[in-house]
């Protein structure tokens, strides 16, 4: 294990001792202890909450080696001083590391440094430095990726704290909220928030079902902040309806009628449909009428439920027990999302049932709300933030969409999210319209929803793939300047479902917005990262939310790096940066020659290179079923690849030194096609035999992460280095040749005439090792993402015109 | 979904009504209701434990369709009778099935029949038949594989029952224990049982750590039975030590010195080492001194914790916080295993800590114990049962070893469990000797254990692979006649880790033992089956254990089929049989001719066929790394397979009708080899392009199986039909040519001389579809299981002598 820990708050010795008193590690009785070994023994004695007697404790001590020859009891019997050798021998064992395998009892400090664990250098401790070292040890991560205090939490250390009076809760240690709330006593309420919407046009405002989990202490007056996850999936999904709506992608790319559109022409019109009046409030209550058994939860939220935060889930318009229709990303959906925040902040009514005769306030909420969640969930958090809604202090948006056009389209082309060929806004709407899963409700509403679905199908316009008013209404980037909430963004650099452009554009637009923003880029695909062994992500989020929602002065904004990036060349390695590409001052510039990428100042040929997009029928059919084989053969540089004549591949020098490629690679060129329409696709590839990270995090220990005490659990995982591979695709881009200038403006092209083009590929943060080669692949049909008509389309590119520009910065 | 439900107890209407009263579905107030629709409405009203008011309930009703046009409220407003059409329309929705997708509101009875759900035929219900239908519906499994009563349990139905007085607990419904125990209130104790052993030879009896979870009600006098899982893995495993002990299998097969051994010569000698005296008992207590936070649990046990059963885990000799040494399968390990049962049954002392100064009894236990667990865990259950230990009423042994020779050896060969090439008893001992994970303890004991390890390494004798005293001491089959506990055995027909012979031999030997035995054969590998959608395994075990441990007269012994087998040709299909091969009266007999298997009465050639075992070095190295590719190419009948000349393959007729192959295929033949040693391996193969079941159960819904209320969860899974494949290996067998008569007796062979051989392959229960062909493959080195010396060994087999005999029975 290699530790990457960012959420330790630097704390002076005096403050550390005060905190140790707060969590009862230092007790008044300890003042009477005379020697440092006696004090050390007293601290250790508290580290076994499972045992209740001195006899049992002594056996636990006997399991630990203090030196290479003495167990802890033997050593204590003769100790006069506590050296840091002994302290970290014992400390490493308490953290789950095993002498002989993970470290050497003769040199624990070496292991502390190798694993990147913080340590106190004093060779022999006095009382104060012992306390300080103990404090630091409690905040140090062990071999299962949890700190010692978290490990003690999972073993019951904080159970006696459940009984503390509300005034002493929540409890913070090293700037982070601790699990002093009994998760067995959580209160679970359902309320129905009245949104300022009538999407199902029944003349009444849409009621939205909200599931609330809150600590029992709220019933006796404690006010708590809320982690709110808006998840359209949360009340179930209708796979069957989604599948039925799925689009056939094995259709020809059509020529488009040229238009004269400007951006102003496609600007979304504000929805001015009048909204029905709010329901009258005749009576109010503090008691809910409905509860729920098992919510669909996010383990990060579960963790906070033990620590003094409430958690709220809502599936929004069109979901089970709510009103309205699913609309995929429009302003109604955003209004539905923030209605819950408005209720939590005291600015909107909710009712105890769907008859809406009794109102209920979020009287237990302290008015501070964060949003969490990944993918569609993170997308709604982003959407909510762009409204500037009051009460929303921060969002942690993971793998979030920032503009739906960047999810389902690219430069005038229909471009699917990876593994979801044929999906579109209507498919997603059909899937999350979970009212269809309740036959009684469906009976009344399905016809209205089918009409909405037809509208989505029409307006999303798969025929042209152009950016239009429909997509403009689903572009949150237009409202980034309205954001008032601080933001943590998390995204996978290999996420080809929600592609990296989504986070990059948001990050870039936020540069000028006066909120605190943090960015974490990992090497995964479309995943959560709160169960990785190598990164203290959960602690970072605890630091962040303790600061943002409880106002703890824990330096969260400075301790967390602005941009934290997982290295793609080594396991368990994360680096902090000040920015992404925005502070890059250098770039790599290439032109091409025959099959090579060459420095831009080289003289190059004036020839054209050609490829045909059309594949033999049998091969095409094989690739339809074997998408990974298609990509592997596309990148295979050997002449025997069946795709050899169906793409152009250019390879660079072997990198004379390692390079850090950042931001959006930019490509220019000129192309002719034998029809009056066409498309180009591009891949940037890292060539070089090397061990690369596994595609997904691998299981290290099932259910090893306790999120509290006798509470929910998560699996411990991390990326590992896999067997060596010869290449890896770094990024992609797609272009409809009729949209060479704007995605909203289709231009005519003539067959066999050369046209200039340029485009940005999806952004990267890629560590190219010394000796590796960059590859540029130019092709047309992307079997994984574009339509696949297997048409007779032949492309010619002027080699002299092709240019590749990639910003780089120092490692 | 296709339902296979065996654990519904046939119950007459009067008893059903009484039971509905017990679980408060029928209440005294309902006597006042006049009409059947009113009663129906009252029953339905109780089916939404989440809602507390009539208003909220009405909305839930509005979500249900009673007919194709009326929702439940609309229908109730006008209903005068309750038809079974309406009843099952609503019933199917309550069970999670969706109109339009899973069934048609015009014909719910068709769906009830298609999904195999039990139904009441009355077209219109009176009060009594309505109650009866409701009772049956509560016991009917829904689309997530749980019955309606289980679904209601997970939604909080039984929470009010937590407060019932002990006299009314446990509570049985339809013969099965219900979740009326608060799992948040479980008591967790640690005790140290004193085993009649001193395996670490420290002059004191070995103390064994035992973890106990018991209902809070035991503290106030309720006596409960115990599910005991003996798991050597439970306190952690030392992978590092296991890996270090792993054997190299890329070594030559050696010739063996001939011997004159008889079975008597290799009979294990009883261990007559004197045992130290028991510790004196000076004081006793009812309070434990130690607890634990999170045990490594088995979800089937978790389920029973909510239902009035205690659960006990012990890792046995050599594990963390216990005494002793790991010995892999010997009588000391068995004694360690049953010591816990003896304590639970009141026949052996335990202490509150390792100083052993205070004894503690299992005063909360009713004296009835079952053992559960899979693999090594099931093995120890089997071992325990063969002692006839008092108190052990039943075992549910899953994928259990019945003789360790059948796990690590076969007919005089070292034959590894699948995916564990190079493992042996010493490797396993090093892995489970978890005392090595506590450095202090390891410091004191490691030298003794290393000596034991050296003894295991020597005595297991990888050189000859012969059955010897070491293996005889680890053969539980010798003591099957001592079994007093009823047995449920579960095994995968594709389990090549613990191979099917283990369960088959135990089943066969049990035929004459006067206990009740049940056998479940599934199509998985080495898995648990308590989370399958298609089989009510958990309910079956509830029925079984309610009977065996609480004495409930629920007909468990007759309701469960003797032999329950999952069909290999269709998804979600299970068949009950009276026996395995023991009642088979017919057989298929084949001889061979050229590349064919032909009926045994055909005239055949007198030629010999030859193959060379040795592979080109590069190919051999490739297969070392790609074991599945090796097996696929071994079974590939085309001439271009690189293994074409390295094995013999014979294919039969196309089956004129479907066949059910049962028991142990028997092969006879004569073989010559060019050395004075050699081995043969055999595979039986089902040839025929067909969709076959997935190797492992596939995820249907994550965490969908609630094991109680706000308690632990399991994933819902099942096997599905995968893409068509041309063949599937059915079974295997291996033979050292020097052990043609007995595994304990090595005979000399001369090079190039023919010798007769015969052997049983691993047993089968295989449905061979009409038109499919049987294949027999004869080869030598098994890359997945045997040593792999890649020696120059050439084998000749007389075609005329090869005979294959397979018992069959009717489908």
């Amino acid at each position: 294990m290699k530790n990457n820990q960012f959420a330790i708050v630097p704390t002076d010795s005096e403050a550390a001792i005060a905190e140790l008193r707060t969590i009862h590690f230092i007790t008044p009785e300890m003042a009477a202890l005379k020697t440092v070994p006696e004090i050390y023994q007293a601290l250790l004695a508290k580290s076994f909450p499972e045992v209740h007697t001195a006899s049992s404790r002594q056996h636990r001590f006997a399991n630990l080696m203090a030196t290479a020859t003495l167990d802890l009891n033997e050593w204590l019997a003769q100790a006069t001083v506590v050296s840091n050798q002994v302290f970290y021998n014992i400390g490493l064992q308490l953290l789950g590391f095993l002498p002989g395998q993970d470290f050497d009892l003769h040199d624990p400090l070496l292991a502390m440094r190798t694993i990147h664990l913080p340590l106190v250098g004093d060779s022999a401790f006095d009382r104060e430095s012992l306390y300080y070292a103990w404090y630091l040890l409690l905040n140090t991560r062990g071999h299962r990726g949890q700190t010692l205090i978290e490990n003690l939490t999972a073993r019951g250390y904080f159970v006696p704290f459940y009984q503390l009076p509300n005034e002493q809760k929540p409890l913070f240690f090293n700037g982070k909220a601790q699990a002093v709330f009994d998760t067995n006593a959580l209160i679970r309420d359902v309320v129905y928030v009245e949104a300022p919407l009538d999407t199902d046009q029944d003349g009444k405002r849409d009621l939205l079902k909200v599931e609330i989990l809150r600590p029992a202490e709220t019933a006796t007056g404690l006010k708590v902040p809320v982690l709110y996850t808006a998840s359209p999936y949360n009340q179930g999904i209708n796979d069957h309806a989604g599948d039925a709506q799925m689009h056939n992608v094995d259709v020809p790319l059509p020529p488009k009628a040229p238009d004269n559109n400007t951006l102003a022409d496609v600007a979304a019109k504000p929805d001015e449909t009048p909204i029905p009046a709010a329901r009258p409030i005749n009576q109010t209550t503090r008691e809910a009428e409905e509860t729920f058994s098992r919510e669909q939860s996010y383990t990060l939220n579960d963790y906070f439920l033990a620590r003094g935060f409430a958690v709220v889930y809502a599936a929004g318009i069109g979901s089970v027990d709510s009103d309205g229709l699913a609309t995929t990303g429009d302003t109604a959906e955003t209004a539905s999302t923030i209605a819950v925040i408005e209720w939590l902040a005291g600015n909107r009514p909710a009712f105890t049932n769907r008859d809406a005769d009794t109102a209920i306030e979020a009287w237990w909420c302290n008015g501070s709300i964060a949003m969490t969640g990944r993918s569609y969930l993170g997308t709604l958090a982003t959407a909510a933030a762009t409204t500037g809604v009051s009460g929303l202090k921060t969002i942690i948006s993971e793998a979030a969409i920032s503009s739906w056009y960047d999810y389902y389209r690219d430069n005038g082309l229909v471009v699917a999210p990876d593994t979801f060929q044929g999906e579109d806004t209507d498919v997603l709407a059909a899937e999350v319209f979970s009212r269809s899963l309740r036959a009684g409700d469906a009976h009344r509403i399905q016809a209205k929803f089918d009409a909405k679905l037809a509208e989505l199908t029409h307006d999303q316009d798969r025929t042209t793939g152009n950016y239009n008013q429909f997509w403009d209404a689903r572009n949150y980037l237009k409202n980034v300047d309205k954001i008032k909430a601080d933001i943590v963004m998390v995204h996978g650099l290999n996420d080809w479902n929600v592609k990296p452009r989504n986070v990059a554009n948001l990050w870039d637009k936020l540069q000028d917005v006066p909120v605190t923003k943090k960015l974490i880029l990992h090497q995964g695909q479309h995943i959560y990262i709160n169960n990785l062994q190598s990164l203290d992500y959960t602690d970072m989020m605890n630091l962040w939310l303790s600061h943002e929602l409880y106002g703890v002065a824990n330096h969260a904004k400075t301790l967390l790096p602005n941009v934290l990036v997982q290295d793609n060349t080594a396991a368990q390695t994360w680096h902090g940066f000040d920015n992404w590409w925005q502070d890059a001052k250098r770039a790599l510039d290439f032109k091409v020659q025959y099959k090579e990428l060459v420095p831009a100042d080289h003289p190059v040929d004036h020839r054209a290179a050609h490829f045909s997009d059309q594949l033999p029928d049998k091969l095409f059919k094989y690739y339809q079923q074997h998408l990974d084989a298609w990509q592997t053969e596309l990148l295979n540089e050997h002449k025997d690849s069946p795709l050899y004549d169906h793409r152009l591949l250019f390879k660079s020098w072997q990198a004379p030194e390692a390079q850090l490629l950042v931001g959006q690679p930019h490509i220019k060129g000129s192309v002719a096609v034998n029809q009056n329409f066409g498309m180009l696709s591009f891949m940037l590839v890292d060539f070089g035999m090397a061990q690369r990270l596994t595609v997904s995090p691998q299981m290290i220990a099932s259910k090893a992460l306790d999120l509290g005490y006798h509470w929910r659990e998560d699996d411990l995982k991390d990326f590992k280095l896999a067997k060596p591979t010869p290449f890896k695709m770094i990024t992609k881009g797609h272009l409809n040749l009729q949209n060479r200038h704007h995605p909203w403006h289709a231009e005519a092209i003539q067959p066999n005439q050369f046209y200039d083009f340029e485009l940005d590929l999806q952004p990267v943060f890629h560590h190219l090792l010394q000796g590796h080669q960059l590859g540029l692949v130019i092709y047309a049909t992307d079997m994984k993402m574009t339509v696949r008509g297997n048409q007779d389309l032949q492309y010619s590119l002027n080699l002299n015109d092709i240019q590749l520009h990639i910003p780089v910065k120092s490692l």
Side-chain angles (χ1 to χ4, degrees), chain A:
Chain A
M1 174 197 166
K2 217 185 296 174
N3 184 36
N4 297 270
Q5 195 170 357
F6 296 90
I8 299 187
V9 182
T11 305
D12 65 30
S13 177
E14 193 181 346
I17 289 171
E19 289 193 37
L20 286 175
R21 283 189 218 284
T22 307
I23 66 163
H24 303 180
F25 251 106
I26 301 180
T27 55
E29 302 78 51
M30 283 167 66
L33 299 177
K34 295 274 183 291
T35 72
V36 176
E38 280 175 327
I39 298 163
Y40 184 42
Q41 179 168 4
L43 293 172
L44 288 167
K46 293 178 192 299
S47 304
F48 295 93
E50 302 87 354
V51 301
H52 308 317
T53 62
S55 154
S56 287
R57 204 170 291 128
Q58 192 163 25
H59 174 69
R60 292 299 198 276
F61 280 17
N63 274 342
L64 299 167
M65 289 301 278
T67 71
T69 53
L70 298 177
D71 72 29
L72 180 54
N73 291 318
E74 293 164 343
W75 176 83
L76 281 169
Q78 53 85 67
T80 54
V81 296
V82 179
S83 70
N84 66 1
Q85 294 271 336
V86 165
F87 185 88
Y88 287 113
N89 272 337
I90 297 292
L92 282 163
Q93 290 170 76
L94 293 177
L95 291 169
F97 298 99
L98 188 58
Q101 287 183 20
D102 301 314
F103 74 102
D104 183 342
L105 286 165
H106 292 99
D107 193 358
L109 305 189
L110 175 67
M112 294 294 291
R113 290 187 196 101
T114 310
I115 307 169
H116 297 169
L117 303 178
L119 66 87
V120 175
D122 312 34
S123 57
F125 294 125
D126 60 15
R127 181 186 292 250
E128 186 177 321
S129 61
L130 176 73
Y131 283 149
Y132 184 73
W134 186 258
Y135 176 85
L136 199 57
L137 188 69
L138 287 173
N139 288 295
T140 299
R141 298 175 81 233
H143 94 309
R144 291 203 149 179
Q146 289 192 314
T147 60
L148 182 55
I149 192 69
E150 282 182 289
N151 172 276
L152 286 167
T153 301
R155 291 159 54 200
Y157 184 85
F158 281 123
V159 171
F161 291 67
Y162 292 174
Q163 307 310 324
L164 287 180
N166 283 354
E167 301 73 52
Q168 294 180 40
K169 291 185 176 182
L171 184 152
F172 297 92
F173 182 67
N174 193 245
K176 295 175 286 288
Q178 300 301 311
V180 298
F181 294 84
D182 183 358
T183 46
N184 289 336
L186 290 170
I187 297 166
R188 290 169 169 84
D189 289 339
V190 170
V191 304
Y192 294 87
V193 168
E194 186 189 51
L197 290 168
D198 181 21
T199 56
D200 52 17
Q201 295 175 298
D202 64 354
K204 288 184 284 187
R205 290 192 175 198
D206 291 345
L207 292 175
L208 305 175
K209 181 184 189 179
V210 176
E211 294 176 337
I212 299 150
L213 300 102
R214 56 185 168 95
E217 287 80 350
T218 55
T220 53
L222 188 70
K223 306 273 193 195
V224 297
V226 169
L227 307 193
Y228 163 39
T229 299
S231 168
Y233 308 123
N234 231 46
Q235 297 288 321
I237 53 177
N238 194 332
D239 283 328
H240 190 275
D243 290 348
Q245 196 69 25
M246 201 65 91
H247 299 275
N248 179 16
V249 297
D250 297 318
V251 296
L253 180 73
K256 313 188 198 191
D259 61 52
N260 295 310
N261 282 343
T262 66
L263 184 54
D265 293 327
V266 299
K269 305 283 180 290
D271 182 2
E272 284 163 354
T273 320
I275 301 162
R279 291 169 179 81
I281 294 176
N282 300 318
Q283 53 184 347
T284 62
T285 181
R286 288 164 64 106
E287 291 287 326
E289 283 182 39
E290 298 183 11
T291 184
F292 56 95
S293 49
R294 179 59 157 111
E295 79 287 5
Q296 278 198 27
S297 71
Y298 172 20
T299 49
L300 185 71
N301 292 342
D302 292 337
Y303 164 90
F304 282 101
L305 276 170
R307 287 163 174 83
F309 296 75
V311 170
V312 163
Y313 294 94
I317 40 176
S319 64
V320 168
D321 294 334
S322 291
D323 292 328
L325 306 176
T327 56
T328 313
D330 71 347
T331 53
E333 184 182 65
T334 303
S336 154
T337 302
I338 65 171
V340 176
I341 298 171
E342 291 164 333
W343 173 68
L344 288 167
N347 303 319
R348 190 160 296 288
F351 298 94
T352 56
N353 66 44
R354 293 184 44 84
D355 289 345
D357 48 14
T358 308
I360 184 167
E361 293 185 358
W363 49 269
W364 44 265
C365 175
N366 77 354
S368 291
I369 297 118
M371 288 188 74
T372 61
R374 179 185 56 99
S375 196
Y376 204 161
L377 293 56
T379 303
L380 295 183
T382 303
T386 59
T387 66
V389 60
S390 178
L392 184 64
K393 304 297 185 194
T394 186
I395 67 168
I396 301 169
S397 64
E398 309 191 50
I401 295 165
S402 62
S403 169
W404 287 82
Y405 190 83
D406 290 333
Y407 187 62
Y408 285 124
R409 302 286 184 272
D410 197 4
N411 289 322
L413 286 175
V414 173
V415 171
D418 189 28
T419 74
F420 297 103
Q421 262 288 34
E423 194 184 293
D424 216 322
T425 67
D426 54 350
V427 177
L428 187 58
E431 194 168 286
V432 304
F433 182 66
S434 51
R435 293 181 71 176
S436 63
L437 298 173
R438 295 292 179 274
D441 197 23
H443 181 65
R444 294 180 292 272
I445 194 67
Q446 193 68 42
K448 268 187 193 165
F449 180 67
D450 289 345
K452 166 59 74 177
L453 209 52
E455 185 187 316
L456 292 176
T457 304
H458 177 267
D459 293 352
Q460 70 195 5
D461 182 14
R462 288 180 71 85
T463 312
T464 74
N466 287 345
Y467 186 92
N468 60 16
Q469 289 185 6
F470 175 89
W471 296 108
D472 195 60
R474 288 162 173 80
N475 183 353
Y476 310 121
L477 294 168
K478 294 191 306 174
N479 297 312
V480 169
D481 58 344
K482 296 189 189 139
I483 292 179
K484 296 200 190 91
D486 292 335
I487 300 198
V488 176
M489 284 156 276
V490 181
H491 215 101
L493 288 162
N494 291 298
D495 189 345
W496 297 102
N497 178 341
V498 178
K499 302 180 188 75
R501 175 172 299 151
N502 284 278
V503 74
N505 284 345
L506 178 59
W507 175 254
D508 199 43
K509 290 234 174 209
L510 276 167
Q511 296 300 306
D512 300 327
V513 180
V515 298
T516 303
K517 47 264 178 189
K518 303 286 178 182
L519 175 63
I520 302 177
L521 297 171
H522 59 80
Q523 293 296 335
Q525 299 178 321
H526 196 59
I527 59 167
Y528 285 114
I529 61 165
N530 61 318
N531 58 355
L532 296 187
Q533 182 189 44
S534 63
L535 182 68
D536 67 334
Y537 178 77
T538 299
D539 263 9
M540 287 164 66
M541 294 307 102
N542 189 333
L543 193 79
W544 181 257
L545 294 174
S546 292
H547 173 79
E548 295 277 327
L549 302 183
Y550 269 120
V552 176
N554 59 16
H555 313 290
K557 292 188 174 184
T558 51
L559 279 173
L560 304 189
N562 285 341
V563 178
L564 178 61
V565 184
Q566 184 183 13
D567 194 302
N568 55 287
T569 67
Q572 305 206 324
T573 305
W574 297 76
H575 305 290
F577 295 90
D578 288 336
N579 214 323
W580 192 341
W581 72 88
Q582 288 78 2
D583 58 356
K585 295 188 175 58
R586 296 182 294 119
L588 297 175
D589 284 286
F590 296 100
K591 298 197 77 171
V592 310
Q593 175 169 286
Y594 188 51
K595 300 197 176 303
E596 287 179 74
L597 280 173
V598 294
D601 52 5
H602 274 221
V604 294
D605 283 357
H606 284 253
R607 297 184 305 164
H610 318 279
F611 70 92
S612 161
D613 193 39
Q614 195 166 39
L615 300 180
D617 193 51
K618 193 174 161 189
L619 185 65
F620 176 76
K621 286 193 169 130
Y622 176 78
Y623 288 143
Q624 283 177 312
Q625 301 300 321
H626 299 88
L627 298 174
D628 287 333
W630 165 79
Q631 181 162 317
T632 302
E633 294 184 358
L634 189 78
L635 301 185
N636 179 348
E637 55 188 308
H638 296 295
K639 279 215 161 173
D640 57 4
S641 165
L643 294 176
Y644 190 81
D645 293 326
H646 299 284
R647 49 102 179 109
L648 306 177
L649 191 162
F650 308 99
K651 280 177 73 175
S652 73
W653 39 234
Q654 294 192 313
E657 56 191 4
Q659 300 285 345
L660 198 55
L661 317 178
V662 292
Q664 312 189 59
H666 189 77
I667 293 183
K668 286 187 178 180
S670 63
V671 62
V673 57
N674 62 336
Q675 298 277 358
N676 62 343
F677 61 92
M679 65 168 132
L680 283 180
S681 298
F682 305 86
M683 284 189 194
L684 207 58
V685 185
D686 173 337
F687 281 100
M689 188 57 75
Q691 279 194 283
R692 294 180 164 91
L693 294 175
T694 48
V695 171
S696 302
Q698 306 294 296
M699 180 75 83
I700 296 171
S702 164
K703 300 185 183 175
L705 296 174
D706 293 282
L707 305 174
Y709 174 67
H710 290 171
W711 180 225
R712 294 174 182 163
E713 296 150 345
D714 209 343
D715 298 330
L716 181 70
K717 297 187 173 183
D718 216 317
F719 297 90
K720 295 184 180 167
L721 285 177
K723 289 187 185 167
T725 51
F727 54 74
K728 177 176 186 305
M729 195 267 285
I730 308 171
T731 191
K732 272 188 174 187
H734 304 92
L735 177 70
N736 189 313
L737 297 188
Q738 294 192 258
N739 292 77
R740 297 186 323 287
H741 297 97
H742 300 294
W744 53 81
H745 171 41
E747 300 169 63
I749 60 172
Q750 303 305 321
N752 302 317
Q753 189 170 321
F754 277 92
Y755 293 94
D756 289 342
F757 67 85
E758 59 184 297
L759 77 160
D760 286 332
L761 304 188
Q762 296 283 341
V764 300
F765 208 123
H766 186 80
H767 183 173
L768 185 79
L769 286 173
Q770 188 179 13
H772 280 221
Q773 293 172 282
L774 267 180
L776 172 64
V777 180
I778 302 178
Y779 62 109
T781 298
D782 187 325
M783 297 295 290
K784 290 186 169 188
M785 295 187 179
T786 64
V787 296
R788 314 180 295 200
N790 204 25
Q791 292 156 279
D792 175 21
L793 286 164
Q794 298 177 34
Y795 296 90
S796 302
L797 286 97
N798 279 323
L799 292 180
N800 184 43
D801 291 339
I802 299 176
Q803 297 177 47
L804 170 63
H805 171 89
I806 313 174
V808 295
K809 58 193 216 179
S810 301
L811 276 161

